[in-house]
PDB file of all heavy atoms in Angstrom:
ATOM      1  N   PRO A   1       0.808  -1.228  -0.045  1.00 68.00           N
ATOM      2  CA  PRO A   1       0.036  -0.029  -0.011  1.00 68.00           C
ATOM      3  C   PRO A   1       0.873   1.234   0.011  1.00 68.00           C
ATOM      4  O   PRO A   1       1.990   1.244   0.486  1.00 68.00           O
ATOM      5  CB  PRO A   1      -0.802  -0.144   1.308  1.00 68.00           C
ATOM      6  CG  PRO A   1      -0.812  -1.573   1.662  1.00 68.00           C
ATOM      7  CD  PRO A   1       0.578  -2.091   1.156  1.00 68.00           C
ATOM      8  N   SER A   2       0.312   2.377  -0.544  1.00 68.00           N
ATOM      9  CA  SER A   2       1.005   3.647  -0.567  1.00 68.00           C
ATOM     10  C   SER A   2       1.258   4.074   0.880  1.00 68.00           C
ATOM     11  O   SER A   2       0.487   4.032   1.715  1.00 68.00           O
ATOM     12  CB  SER A   2       0.143   4.654  -1.316  1.00 68.00           C
ATOM     13  OG  SER A   2       0.632   5.953  -1.037  1.00 68.00           O
ATOM     14  N   PRO A   3       2.496   4.556   1.120  1.00 71.00           N
ATOM     15  CA  PRO A   3       2.825   5.065   2.498  1.00 71.00           C
ATOM     16  C   PRO A   3       1.932   6.205   2.892  1.00 71.00           C
ATOM     17  O   PRO A   3       1.524   6.327   4.096  1.00 71.00           O
ATOM     18  CB  PRO A   3       4.306   5.575   2.344  1.00 71.00           C
ATOM     19  CG  PRO A   3       4.883   4.712   1.238  1.00 71.00           C
ATOM     20  CD  PRO A   3       3.706   4.587   0.268  1.00 71.00           C
ATOM     21  N   THR A   4       1.490   7.024   1.901  1.00 67.00           N
ATOM     22  CA  THR A   4       0.609   8.171   2.226  1.00 67.00           C
ATOM     23  C   THR A   4      -0.717   7.638   2.781  1.00 67.00           C
ATOM     24  O   THR A   4      -1.269   8.288   3.712  1.00 67.00           O
ATOM     25  CB  THR A   4       0.397   8.966   0.926  1.00 67.00           C
ATOM     26  OG1 THR A   4       1.613   9.373   0.416  1.00 67.00           O
ATOM     27  CG2 THR A   4      -0.464  10.272   1.346  1.00 67.00           C
ATOM     28  N   SER A   5      -1.234   6.519   2.260  1.00 65.00           N
ATOM     29  CA  SER A   5      -2.476   5.985   2.730  1.00 65.00           C
ATOM     30  C   SER A   5      -2.410   5.503   4.126  1.00 65.00           C
ATOM     31  O   SER A   5      -3.386   5.308   4.855  1.00 65.00           O
ATOM     32  CB  SER A   5      -2.935   4.832   1.852  1.00 65.00           C
ATOM     33  OG  SER A   5      -2.052   3.734   1.949  1.00 65.00           O
ATOM     34  N   GLN A   6      -1.183   5.290   4.680  1.00 68.00           N
ATOM     35  CA  GLN A   6      -0.945   4.813   6.025  1.00 68.00           C
ATOM     36  C   GLN A   6      -0.454   5.909   6.976  1.00 68.00           C
ATOM     37  O   GLN A   6      -0.047   5.714   8.024  1.00 68.00           O
ATOM     38  CB  GLN A   6       0.131   3.657   6.006  1.00 68.00           C
ATOM     39  CG  GLN A   6      -0.265   2.407   5.167  1.00 68.00           C
ATOM     40  CD  GLN A   6       0.833   1.463   5.147  1.00 68.00           C
ATOM     41  OE1 GLN A   6       1.989   1.768   4.890  1.00 68.00           O
ATOM     42  NE2 GLN A   6       0.454   0.164   5.283  1.00 68.00           N
ATOM     43  N   GLY A   7      -0.636   7.148   6.421  1.00 70.00           N
ATOM     44  CA  GLY A   7      -0.315   8.357   7.259  1.00 70.00           C
ATOM     45  C   GLY A   7       1.156   8.646   7.333  1.00 70.00           C
ATOM     46  O   GLY A   7       1.596   9.501   8.119  1.00 70.00           O
ATOM     47  N   ILE A   8       1.999   8.054   6.440  1.00 71.00           N
ATOM     48  CA  ILE A   8       3.430   8.319   6.391  1.00 71.00           C
ATOM     49  C   ILE A   8       3.725   9.456   5.443  1.00 71.00           C
ATOM     50  O   ILE A   8       3.373   9.388   4.278  1.00 71.00           O
ATOM     51  CB  ILE A   8       4.220   7.096   5.914  1.00 71.00           C
ATOM     52  CG1 ILE A   8       3.928   5.941   6.968  1.00 71.00           C
ATOM     53  CG2 ILE A   8       5.726   7.360   5.943  1.00 71.00           C
ATOM     54  CD1 ILE A   8       4.577   4.650   6.608  1.00 71.00           C
ATOM     55  N   VAL A   9       4.352  10.556   5.926  1.00 68.00           N
ATOM     56  CA  VAL A   9       4.558  11.756   5.142  1.00 68.00           C
ATOM     57  C   VAL A   9       6.009  11.727   4.578  1.00 68.00           C
ATOM     58  O   VAL A   9       6.916  11.484   5.361  1.00 68.00           O
ATOM     59  CB  VAL A   9       4.227  12.979   5.898  1.00 68.00           C
ATOM     60  CG1 VAL A   9       4.485  14.276   5.031  1.00 68.00           C
ATOM     61  CG2 VAL A   9       2.857  13.034   6.332  1.00 68.00           C
ATOM     62  N   ASP A  10       6.193  12.065   3.377  1.00 68.00           N
ATOM     63  CA  ASP A  10       7.564  12.164   2.738  1.00 68.00           C
ATOM     64  C   ASP A  10       8.213  13.274   3.470  1.00 68.00           C
ATOM     65  O   ASP A  10       7.757  14.466   3.448  1.00 68.00           O
ATOM     66  CB  ASP A  10       7.405  12.373   1.261  1.00 68.00           C
ATOM     67  CG  ASP A  10       8.807  12.424   0.625  1.00 68.00           C
ATOM     68  OD1 ASP A  10       9.821  12.278   1.338  1.00 68.00           O
ATOM     69  OD2 ASP A  10       8.858  12.420  -0.603  1.00 68.00           O
ATOM     70  N   PRO A  11       9.487  13.041   4.062  1.00 66.00           N
ATOM     71  CA  PRO A  11      10.145  14.124   4.790  1.00 66.00           C
ATOM     72  C   PRO A  11      10.641  15.162   3.851  1.00 66.00           C
ATOM     73  O   PRO A  11      10.923  16.322   4.259  1.00 66.00           O
ATOM     74  CB  PRO A  11      11.335  13.358   5.475  1.00 66.00           C
ATOM     75  CG  PRO A  11      11.514  12.109   4.685  1.00 66.00           C
ATOM     76  CD  PRO A  11      10.105  11.751   4.253  1.00 66.00           C
ATOM     77  N   LYS A  12      10.737  14.893   2.504  1.00 67.00           N
ATOM     78  CA  LYS A  12      11.237  15.828   1.602  1.00 67.00           C
ATOM     79  C   LYS A  12      10.091  16.784   1.080  1.00 67.00           C
ATOM     80  O   LYS A  12      10.402  17.769   0.382  1.00 67.00           O
ATOM     81  CB  LYS A  12      11.847  15.169   0.404  1.00 67.00           C
ATOM     82  CG  LYS A  12      13.134  14.373   0.712  1.00 67.00           C
ATOM     83  CD  LYS A  12      13.668  13.727  -0.522  1.00 67.00           C
ATOM     84  CE  LYS A  12      14.887  12.798  -0.152  1.00 67.00           C
ATOM     85  NZ  LYS A  12      15.446  12.179  -1.353  1.00 67.00           N
ATOM     86  N   SER A  13       8.879  16.498   1.481  1.00 65.00           N
ATOM     87  CA  SER A  13       7.753  17.262   0.936  1.00 65.00           C
ATOM     88  C   SER A  13       7.731  18.625   1.687  1.00 65.00           C
ATOM     89  O   SER A  13       8.184  18.825   2.833  1.00 65.00           O
ATOM     90  CB  SER A  13       6.415  16.534   1.117  1.00 65.00           C
ATOM     91  OG  SER A  13       6.203  16.262   2.523  1.00 65.00           O
ATOM     92  N   ASP A  14       7.101  19.628   1.011  1.00 63.00           N
ATOM     93  CA  ASP A  14       7.006  20.946   1.599  1.00 63.00           C
ATOM     94  C   ASP A  14       5.898  20.950   2.668  1.00 63.00           C
ATOM     95  O   ASP A  14       4.777  20.666   2.426  1.00 63.00           O
ATOM     96  CB  ASP A  14       6.596  21.923   0.401  1.00 63.00           C
ATOM     97  CG  ASP A  14       6.682  23.373   0.814  1.00 63.00           C
ATOM     98  OD1 ASP A  14       6.600  23.633   2.098  1.00 63.00           O
ATOM     99  OD2 ASP A  14       6.691  24.253   0.042  1.00 63.00           O
ATOM    100  N   PRO A  15       6.301  21.242   3.899  1.00 64.00           N
ATOM    101  CA  PRO A  15       5.354  21.295   5.025  1.00 64.00           C
ATOM    102  C   PRO A  15       4.087  22.233   4.680  1.00 64.00           C
ATOM    103  O   PRO A  15       2.933  21.904   5.061  1.00 64.00           O
ATOM    104  CB  PRO A  15       6.079  21.724   6.204  1.00 64.00           C
ATOM    105  CG  PRO A  15       7.518  21.451   5.896  1.00 64.00           C
ATOM    106  CD  PRO A  15       7.610  21.582   4.402  1.00 64.00           C
ATOM    107  N   ALA A  16       4.411  23.350   3.996  1.00 61.00           N
ATOM    108  CA  ALA A  16       3.306  24.254   3.728  1.00 61.00           C
ATOM    109  C   ALA A  16       2.315  23.563   2.748  1.00 61.00           C
ATOM    110  O   ALA A  16       1.054  23.773   2.880  1.00 61.00           O
ATOM    111  CB  ALA A  16       3.856  25.456   3.015  1.00 61.00           C
ATOM    112  N   ILE A  17       2.803  22.775   1.815  1.00 58.00           N
ATOM    113  CA  ILE A  17       1.889  22.040   0.910  1.00 58.00           C
ATOM    114  C   ILE A  17       1.193  20.960   1.640  1.00 58.00           C
ATOM    115  O   ILE A  17      -0.080  20.729   1.415  1.00 58.00           O
ATOM    116  CB  ILE A  17       2.707  21.473  -0.290  1.00 58.00           C
ATOM    117  CG1 ILE A  17       3.246  22.605  -1.120  1.00 58.00           C
ATOM    118  CG2 ILE A  17       1.837  20.571  -1.134  1.00 58.00           C
ATOM    119  CD1 ILE A  17       4.105  22.177  -2.322  1.00 58.00           C
ATOM    120  N   ALA A  18       1.859  20.264   2.471  1.00 57.00           N
ATOM    121  CA  ALA A  18       1.183  19.181   3.227  1.00 57.00           C
ATOM    122  C   ALA A  18       0.096  19.670   4.125  1.00 57.00           C
ATOM    123  O   ALA A  18      -0.905  18.906   4.380  1.00 57.00           O
ATOM    124  CB  ALA A  18       2.256  18.409   4.058  1.00 57.00           C
ATOM    125  N   GLU A  19       0.203  20.832   4.685  1.00 64.00           N
ATOM    126  CA  GLU A  19      -0.906  21.388   5.517  1.00 64.00           C
ATOM    127  C   GLU A  19      -1.975  22.030   4.769  1.00 64.00           C
ATOM    128  O   GLU A  19      -3.067  22.305   5.324  1.00 64.00           O
ATOM    129  CB  GLU A  19      -0.269  22.398   6.478  1.00 64.00           C
ATOM    130  CG  GLU A  19       0.732  21.729   7.539  1.00 64.00           C
ATOM    131  CD  GLU A  19       1.414  22.749   8.401  1.00 64.00           C
ATOM    132  OE1 GLU A  19       1.015  23.966   8.263  1.00 64.00           O
ATOM    133  OE2 GLU A  19       2.230  22.382   9.190  1.00 64.00           O
ATOM    134  N   ARG A  20      -1.784  22.336   3.516  1.00 67.00           N
ATOM    135  CA  ARG A  20      -2.739  23.030   2.739  1.00 67.00           C
ATOM    136  C   ARG A  20      -3.795  22.021   2.153  1.00 67.00           C
ATOM    137  O   ARG A  20      -3.396  21.023   1.621  1.00 67.00           O
ATOM    138  CB  ARG A  20      -2.104  23.853   1.624  1.00 67.00           C
ATOM    139  CG  ARG A  20      -3.116  24.673   0.763  1.00 67.00           C
ATOM    140  CD  ARG A  20      -2.388  25.623  -0.147  1.00 67.00           C
ATOM    141  NE  ARG A  20      -1.642  24.959  -1.214  1.00 67.00           N
ATOM    142  CZ  ARG A  20      -0.348  25.183  -1.540  1.00 67.00           C
ATOM    143  NH1 ARG A  20       0.330  26.147  -0.815  1.00 67.00           N
ATOM    144  NH2 ARG A  20       0.168  24.528  -2.540  1.00 67.00           N
ATOM    145  N   GLU A  21      -5.039  22.352   2.323  1.00 78.00           N
ATOM    146  CA  GLU A  21      -6.097  21.537   1.705  1.00 78.00           C
ATOM    147  C   GLU A  21      -6.282  21.831   0.270  1.00 78.00           C
ATOM    148  O   GLU A  21      -6.492  22.999  -0.092  1.00 78.00           O
ATOM    149  CB  GLU A  21      -7.371  21.758   2.536  1.00 78.00           C
ATOM    150  CG  GLU A  21      -7.315  21.154   3.887  1.00 78.00           C
ATOM    151  CD  GLU A  21      -8.750  21.266   4.609  1.00 78.00           C
ATOM    152  OE1 GLU A  21      -9.617  21.703   3.989  1.00 78.00           O
ATOM    153  OE2 GLU A  21      -8.818  20.816   5.760  1.00 78.00           O
ATOM    154  N   SER A  22      -6.267  20.819  -0.571  1.00 85.00           N
ATOM    155  CA  SER A  22      -6.552  21.002  -2.003  1.00 85.00           C
ATOM    156  C   SER A  22      -7.662  20.087  -2.400  1.00 85.00           C
ATOM    157  O   SER A  22      -7.693  18.944  -1.976  1.00 85.00           O
ATOM    158  CB  SER A  22      -5.247  20.695  -2.754  1.00 85.00           C
ATOM    159  OG  SER A  22      -4.233  21.572  -2.500  1.00 85.00           O
ATOM    160  N   THR A  23      -8.518  20.669  -3.207  1.00 92.00           N
ATOM    161  CA  THR A  23      -9.663  19.806  -3.679  1.00 92.00           C
ATOM    162  C   THR A  23      -9.567  19.703  -5.212  1.00 92.00           C
ATOM    163  O   THR A  23      -9.186  20.603  -5.888  1.00 92.00           O
ATOM    164  CB  THR A  23     -11.027  20.472  -3.295  1.00 92.00           C
ATOM    165  OG1 THR A  23     -11.034  21.773  -3.798  1.00 92.00           O
ATOM    166  CG2 THR A  23     -11.236  20.489  -1.788  1.00 92.00           C
ATOM    167  N   VAL A  24      -9.845  18.478  -5.654  1.00 94.00           N
ATOM    168  CA  VAL A  24      -9.739  18.122  -7.063  1.00 94.00           C
ATOM    169  C   VAL A  24     -11.087  17.620  -7.534  1.00 94.00           C
ATOM    170  O   VAL A  24     -11.641  16.732  -6.870  1.00 94.00           O
ATOM    171  CB  VAL A  24      -8.606  17.179  -7.339  1.00 94.00           C
ATOM    172  CG1 VAL A  24      -8.530  16.845  -8.818  1.00 94.00           C
ATOM    173  CG2 VAL A  24      -7.261  17.626  -6.819  1.00 94.00           C
ATOM    174  N   CYS A  25     -11.521  18.118  -8.639  1.00 95.00           N
ATOM    175  CA  CYS A  25     -12.810  17.584  -9.206  1.00 95.00           C
ATOM    176  C   CYS A  25     -12.495  17.069 -10.634  1.00 95.00           C
ATOM    177  O   CYS A  25     -11.854  17.806 -11.386  1.00 95.00           O
ATOM    178  CB  CYS A  25     -13.884  18.662  -9.259  1.00 95.00           C
ATOM    179  SG  CYS A  25     -15.534  18.080  -9.669  1.00 95.00           S
ATOM    180  N   ILE A  26     -12.900  15.839 -10.894  1.00 96.00           N
ATOM    181  CA  ILE A  26     -12.579  15.213 -12.166  1.00 96.00           C
ATOM    182  C   ILE A  26     -13.895  14.846 -12.925  1.00 96.00           C
ATOM    183  O   ILE A  26     -14.765  14.221 -12.282  1.00 96.00           O
ATOM    184  CB  ILE A  26     -11.704  13.980 -11.945  1.00 96.00           C
ATOM    185  CG1 ILE A  26     -10.448  14.377 -11.250  1.00 96.00           C
ATOM    186  CG2 ILE A  26     -11.369  13.313 -13.255  1.00 96.00           C
ATOM    187  CD1 ILE A  26      -9.619  13.171 -10.795  1.00 96.00           C
ATOM    188  N   ALA A  27     -13.929  15.057 -14.187  1.00 96.00           N
ATOM    189  CA  ALA A  27     -15.130  14.685 -15.010  1.00 96.00           C
ATOM    190  C   ALA A  27     -14.670  14.213 -16.311  1.00 96.00           C
ATOM    191  O   ALA A  27     -13.600  14.608 -16.832  1.00 96.00           O
ATOM    192  CB  ALA A  27     -16.067  15.891 -15.181  1.00 96.00           C
TER     193      ALA A  27
END
């Protein structure tokens, strides 16, 4: 399974991006 799905955050990721909520809509 993806580490992200288990709550594991990539230490190289931008903390500001990780805390920001983003919504995606697909059609």
